Amino acid sequence: MKQFFEFIPLIIFFAVYKMQDIYAATLALIISTAVLLAISYIKNKKVEKMHLISFVLILVFGGLTLILRDDDFIKWKPTVINWIFGLVLLVSQFAFGSPLIKKMLGKEMTLPDDVWSKVNVAWALFFIACGTLNLYIAFSFSEEFWVNFKVFGLLGLTLVFTVGTVVYLYKHLPKEQQESLTEKKD
């Protein structure tokens, strides 16, 4: 349910875009994300760093879009977010020697360090590729095509990559953890 809740601003952005225009959709994205953060803070007494970074970028790029009436700024936002995530993953591994993916999921499963490293690099490259693809689509196709790609294309790519990652991780889990997961399904 939490993941669905996080997609509400994106759904609102898409719906408002279809009913009005990119500027109204951008304003709706800013407002709905702010409301989501406020609800999260009230409910949990904290805001996740990733959500806060995303909101700041939405506020900056969305604000520039609205103030300057130039939709190029909002088109850059997914690229910047994806590149930041990719860079953070690479820095965590190569500068600090500790894959961030392992820190995020290591409590849930035990895997060899080389598997964590491969998954960390794969996700970093995935984010960088998504950011680059967003730029290509944003500035090579129509605004409507870009909005559809932003809402459905990036989400679809992320879901497919997540499933691939889960399959890869499952293959490398110790047998007892695989059995434990299988028993929970039954």
Side-chain angles (χ1 to χ4, degrees):
M1 188 66 178
K2 179 183 171 191
Q3 287 77 15
F4 175 74
F5 191 63
E6 293 170 3
F7 288 113
I8 290 174
L10 188 60
I11 294 165
I12 291 170
F13 173 84
F14 181 75
V16 172
Y17 176 79
K18 291 298 182 181
M19 293 185 294
Q20 293 189 22
D21 62 13
I22 192 74
Y23 303 108
T26 299
L27 180 60
L29 178 66
I30 293 168
I31 292 169
S32 60
T33 304
V35 169
L36 180 72
L37 281 180
I39 291 169
S40 176
Y41 182 76
I42 290 167
K43 191 174 173 184
N44 304 316
K45 300 295 184 234
K46 68 175 184 160
V47 175
E48 293 182 32
K49 285 180 188 175
M50 185 175 83
H51 295 145
L52 190 56
I53 291 168
S54 184
F55 176 66
V56 167
L57 290 173
I58 288 168
L59 195 57
V60 168
F61 286 95
L64 288 170
T65 296
L66 296 174
I67 292 166
L68 301 174
R69 301 305 278 181
D70 184 348
D71 65 349
D72 286 353
F73 292 103
I74 199 66
K75 290 177 180 177
W76 268 93
K77 190 228 21 127
T79 294
V80 172
I81 286 176
N82 278 300
W83 285 354
I84 287 172
F85 290 161
L87 183 63
V88 166
L89 289 172
L90 290 175
V91 167
S92 76
Q93 182 161 333
F94 296 112
F96 298 111
S98 178
L100 187 58
I101 296 285
K102 180 179 180 180
K103 287 184 180 185
M104 293 167 54
L105 301 175
K107 294 175 186 160
E108 308 295 325
M109 57 187 84
T110 305
L111 294 164
D113 285 340
D114 67 315
V115 172
W116 287 120
S117 293
K118 288 176 185 174
V119 170
N120 197 74
V121 169
W123 272 98
L125 295 175
F126 172 76
F127 283 129
I128 291 166
C130 283
T132 304
L133 182 59
N134 178 70
L135 277 185
Y136 173 72
I137 293 194
F139 297 105
S140 299
F141 294 89
S142 71
E143 177 184 279
E144 183 174 5
F145 188 88
W146 172 77
V147 168
N148 287 324
F149 169 75
K150 177 186 176 346
V151 174
F152 301 110
L154 287 175
L155 178 61
L157 288 171
T158 303
L159 289 174
V160 168
F161 202 77
T162 300
V163 169
T165 300
V166 168
V167 169
Y168 178 77
L169 291 175
Y170 184 80
K171 284 184 359 182
H172 291 89
L173 282 174
K175 293 292 180 204
E176 57 273 0
Q177 279 188 320
Q178 286 181 0
E179 292 168 1
S180 172
L181 288 173
T182 306
E183 289 172 8
K184 288 180 183 178
K185 287 182 193 176
D186 297 336

